[in-house]
Amino acid sequence: MVKVENMSKVYRTGGGDIYAMKNVFVTVEKGEFVAIMGPSGSGKSTFMNMIGCLDRPTSGLYHLDGMEVTNLSDKQLAHVRNQKIGFVFQTFHLLPRSTALRNVELPLIYAGVGRKERTERARAALARVGLDERMNHIPNQLSGGQRQRVAIARALVNEPAIVLADEPTGALDSRTSIEIMDIFQQLNEQGTTIILVTHEPDIACYAKRLIRFRDGQVVADDPVRDRLFASQQLASERQQEV
């Protein structure tokens, strides 16, 4: 699904070259759930920008879903982002005056999908994240967790090859974070490939694999030990509440 070969990103300054990412090799198979961690300046955000086709590497190759995208034009990259990648961000990036349904329809509008079909697909995506009864509410009528669910539905509506989540729980409380990770785990069990950037070790434990960056390079790539399962945690909390 994702194959990065010898990828580097170099910023050239008067004081010399600065490597944001250096000689990175990473492969992510279809259906994996991968967490990316590293300190500030480690290269994890640069890596996500590259695989999200938001930036270009200085050198190296990137294959997404079997297609080499490194040297595509800006227009072609925009098409790849719309068709192949679903984005989920920490701050939701929802249109404040549009309903949840209209926010989720937005990628389909860009893709040229007709009104009837895009409404049906947006409704289905919102139902998939448990918001079928809130789809006509605008963002300020929704909780933080519900707004993130809208963002996840928007990321899913085009049936992308991968979902990239950048600190998706960073603005949420602990209980809501577990609920959001439950959605990601359910989506992954249904076959969605997910790559998640987080600075929280406990959030990384919901993934199946953990890649660590430091100084622009991959320093560890291992299966997650002592993996957390959000559904079990939520069930336990409900029992305690009773």
Side-chain angles (χ1 to χ4, degrees), residues 178-191:
I178 297 172
E179 292 174 352
I180 293 301
M181 295 315 299
D182 185 36
I183 291 174
F184 280 125
Q185 288 188 323
Q186 290 181 43
L187 294 172
N188 180 245
E189 291 303 313
Q190 295 164 11

Side-chain angles (χ1 to χ4, degrees), residues 6 18 24 55 67 84 131-132 137 145 150 167 184 232:
N6 201 30
I18 298 175
V24 170
D55 198 359
M67 177 172 58
K84 297 282 189 181
L131 281 184
D132 41 333
H137 291 67
V150 174
E167 302 282 3
F184 280 125
Q232 295 177 4

Side-chain angles (χ1 to χ4, degrees), residues 114-132:
R115 177 176 293 182
K116 182 179 179 180
E117 181 182 349
R118 70 175 183 249
T119 299
E120 289 175 353
R121 287 170 62 177
R123 286 179 179 274
L126 283 163
R128 196 174 176 187
V129 298
L131 281 184
D132 41 333

Side-chain angles (χ1 to χ4, degrees), residues 152-214:
I152 293 170
R154 182 183 57 194
L156 295 172
V157 74
N158 258 343
E159 299 181 358
I162 58 171
V163 170
L164 301 182
D166 190 358
E167 302 282 3
T169 61
L172 305 175
D173 60 62
S174 298
R175 171 64 181 264
T176 307
S177 295
I178 297 172
E179 292 174 352
I180 293 301
M181 295 315 299
D182 185 36
I183 291 174
F184 280 125
Q185 288 188 323
Q186 290 181 43
L187 294 172
N188 180 245
E189 291 303 313
Q190 295 164 11
T192 302
T193 305
I194 300 172
I195 303 177
L196 175 149
V197 164
T198 181
H199 67 277
E200 302 172 89
D202 57 329
I203 294 299
C205 285
Y206 292 99
K208 296 177 179 176
R209 175 181 165 198
L210 174 59
I211 298 174
R212 293 185 182 274
F213 275 78
R214 184 176 294 276

